[in-house]
Amino acid sequence: PVHELPQKKDLEKNQGMPVAEALDPSPALDFLSHLGVSRHEVHSRVASALRSAIEDEIQRMPIAPLTTTPDGVAKTLSTPGEAGHGALLNLLKSAWQFRDVPELRPVLVTVLKRLGDHTPVPMLRRLGTKQNKTTGLKNAELVSQLGPHLQRLVWEADWDAKLELVTKSDGGQALSEEELTLRGSTILADLLRESVDKYLADAELAQAADLAFVGTVSERRFATKLRRIGAKVSEGAGHTREKVSTLASIGVTKAQSSTGNEKEEKSNPST
């Protein structure tokens, strides 16, 4: 507003530093509306540009493992990599609350991918949280965008959490060992159970598997005799070929030696 300009000038004179003016986008928006560009389209383009800039900045940010004291307290951030790691963790906390907003979720995905192996275990376990034992993940759509490497980290974190509960020995409520099998509720079991069930229900695969194993003792003995007979036959054929080749080589050697002797006698007729 015009009446605020004198106050701004007075502040600049008294403090000796420029004062930032508030940006009023109304003239630009009015001009764009006359050109047929809606407010929604303008806001969408600005948000997309800002999001792309943030993602590029995250990708360029250096990262290094944080050093901690023996008590587990993080030390002072002294290197650019440690400073970048700390900034990414702070951004991760801020972006997590917008995980259900499709327009802002790419920022969270970019932060998680940039952290990679440095992603905190509590965050991995939170990503692997299930709605209940019989349904899928709470954040299944988010996990599906993380890529194979981070997905494996989520599966491992979920497995380690179940393993800690199974092997719990402090008197608390522990899980049964069945949780670590295909009948359990781990993410890995949920991924494999459907494929295993399809494999077991396939009649052709079951028939092919039965051909490799025999049912009775007599059948096993008969199969063993056949294998032994086949081994002996192949071994006998090998010895026969070896003898023939040996005799042939001896015959060739004798023929060559006799021919050589004849040549020597012809060259020395006096003897």
Side-chain angles (χ1 to χ4, degrees), residues 49-63 84 87-88 91 107 110-111 114:
L50 292 175
R51 185 177 64 245
S52 299
I54 293 175
E55 293 175 358
D56 293 340
E57 186 66 24
I58 293 172
Q59 293 293 344
R60 292 193 299 267
M61 189 170 293
I63 183 172
L88 287 174
L91 183 58
V107 177
T110 305
V111 173
R114 186 70 185 95

Side-chain angles (χ1 to χ4, degrees), residues 50-255:
L50 292 175
R51 185 177 64 245
S52 299
I54 293 175
E55 293 175 358
D56 293 340
E57 186 66 24
I58 293 172
Q59 293 293 344
R60 292 193 299 267
M61 189 170 293
I63 183 172
L66 295 177
T67 56
T68 57
T69 61
D71 299 334
V73 180
K75 295 182 178 180
T76 306
L77 305 179
S78 57
T79 64
E82 293 177 352
H85 193 172
L88 287 174
L89 292 179
N90 293 332
L91 183 58
L92 179 63
K93 294 178 182 179
S94 301
W96 175 255
Q97 57 184 336
F98 301 105
R99 61 189 179 278
D100 296 327
V101 181
E103 292 80 9
L104 298 179
R105 188 183 300 149
V107 177
L108 176 59
V109 173
T110 305
V111 173
L112 290 171
K113 288 183 177 180
R114 186 70 185 95
L115 286 171
D117 294 331
H118 303 292
T119 304
V121 175
M123 175 57 64
L124 295 174
R125 294 185 177 182
R126 187 178 298 179
L127 289 170
T129 304
K130 302 175 65 175
Q131 296 178 0
N132 52 62
K133 290 186 176 182
T134 58
T135 57
L137 301 177
K138 287 184 177 180
N139 304 290
E141 188 175 357
L142 174 60
V143 174
S144 64
Q145 301 176 11
L146 296 180
H149 181 65
L150 274 174
Q151 289 175 358
R152 285 195 295 269
L153 293 179
V154 173
W155 303 340
E156 292 174 2
D158 176 72
W159 178 273
D160 292 339
K162 298 294 193 303
L163 183 61
E164 289 177 2
L165 294 177
V166 170
T167 58
K168 199 172 184 180
S169 60
D170 57 355
Q173 184 179 1
L175 298 177
S176 63
E177 294 184 358
E178 188 176 355
E179 285 292 329
L180 302 179
T181 64
L182 285 177
R183 293 185 294 272
S185 60
T186 60
I187 301 176
L188 189 59
D190 294 340
L191 294 173
L192 297 178
R193 190 180 297 113
E194 184 178 358
S195 300
V196 172
D197 292 341
K198 287 182 179 180
Y199 180 85
L200 296 176
D202 194 326
E204 295 182 358
L205 289 176
Q207 184 179 2
D210 290 338
L211 294 177
F213 304 95
V214 293
T216 62
V217 176
S218 59
E219 290 177 353
R220 288 198 294 272
R221 288 177 179 174
F222 181 72
T224 303
K225 289 181 179 179
L226 288 179
R227 287 196 298 271
R228 288 177 179 175
I229 292 172
K232 288 181 179 180
V233 170
S234 61
E235 185 179 356
H239 285 302
T240 303
R241 288 192 298 269
E242 185 178 357
K243 290 180 180 179
V244 171
S245 62
T246 304
L247 292 174
S249 62
I250 293 173
V252 171
T253 305
K254 286 184 177 180

